[in-house]
Amino acid sequence: MNNQQGQRGITLIEACVTLAVVTTVAASAAPGMRSLIAARRLDGTASQLGRDLQFARGTAIARNQRVRFSLHGTPDGSCYVVHTGGADECECGRGDGPAVCHGDARELRTVRLSGTDRVAMHSNVASILFDPLHGTSTPTGTLRLVGADGREVRQIVNVMGRVRACSPQGSVPGYRAC
């Protein structure tokens, strides 16, 4: 009598073929994932910047007090501070701590963009002042956020203090073309 038992498990050849297929699929998906992560990082930073600009304007109106949105370069990236007082009265400070303000100026919010965020911020103004009476801004400004892949989102503040977001040539999904 022939008493053979059924095969249990997989053979070495089957394991190698499965591993080769999984490796090929993962390698082809990796660049797409990197691009997706970069796009999400840029979109998240742009959304936060837009909310903080609106926060500065709304706070000026609610408190009936002039509020500034000031941008600063740091050794490892950039930073912005929403604060009261003069343009040069608040700085980002060191590390992850709060901004350092002088005189009667008060920090309301500080956000840092480090090099590890892989999003760079550029602006044509160093500070924007929001007036409490009408919510207007002086001067107008364009804040550019550039991702590691070169795609860009712009937050544009007009003289009425309104903020709009756009992307040059519509390169970032979800944003109008500039």
Side-chain angles (χ1 to χ4, degrees):
M1 271 200 325
N2 192 359
N3 191 7
Q4 290 183 334
Q5 293 182 340
Q7 176 185 357
R8 292 185 179 175
I10 59 173
T11 65
L12 182 59
I13 292 175
E14 291 169 333
C16 289
V17 168
T18 302
L19 183 61
V21 169
V22 168
T23 302
T24 304
V25 169
S28 65
M33 287 300 290
R34 270 187 245 126
S35 176
L36 178 65
I37 290 169
R40 299 303 328 148
R41 190 174 283 148
L42 179 61
D43 180 49
T45 304
S47 295
Q48 180 180 10
L49 177 61
R51 285 190 307 269
D52 288 341
L53 286 163
Q54 290 296 337
F55 169 76
R57 181 177 188 245
T59 301
I61 294 168
R63 290 185 176 192
N64 195 28
Q65 181 180 23
R66 297 172 127 200
V67 173
R68 283 198 175 274
F69 184 94
S70 298
L71 298 124
H72 304 277
T74 63
D76 69 332
S78 56
C79 155
Y80 60 85
V81 182
V82 177
H83 63 95
T84 61
D88 58 350
E89 291 184 4
C90 286
E91 302 169 4
C92 287
R94 295 179 182 233
D96 290 333
V100 177
C101 296
H102 311 284
D104 292 335
R106 297 288 173 255
E107 174 217 13
L108 303 173
R109 183 169 293 163
T110 301
V111 175
R112 288 177 169 70
L113 295 175
S114 69
T116 59
D117 293 330
R118 300 184 55 109
V119 175
M121 183 168 47
H122 308 283
S123 176
N124 65 342
V125 295
S127 183
I128 299 173
L129 175 66
F130 290 95
D131 182 72
L133 187 56
H134 300 293
T136 58
S137 64
T138 308
T140 61
T142 299
L143 293 87
R144 296 175 40 238
L145 295 168
V146 182
D149 59 357
R151 289 192 276 182
E152 179 179 327
V153 174
R154 295 178 183 172
Q155 296 286 358
I156 301 168
V157 182
N158 70 15
V159 72
M160 296 304 297
R162 295 189 181 114
V163 180
R164 71 177 175 94
C166 64
S167 176
Q169 291 87 35
S171 62
V172 179
Y175 291 91
R176 292 187 313 188
C178 294

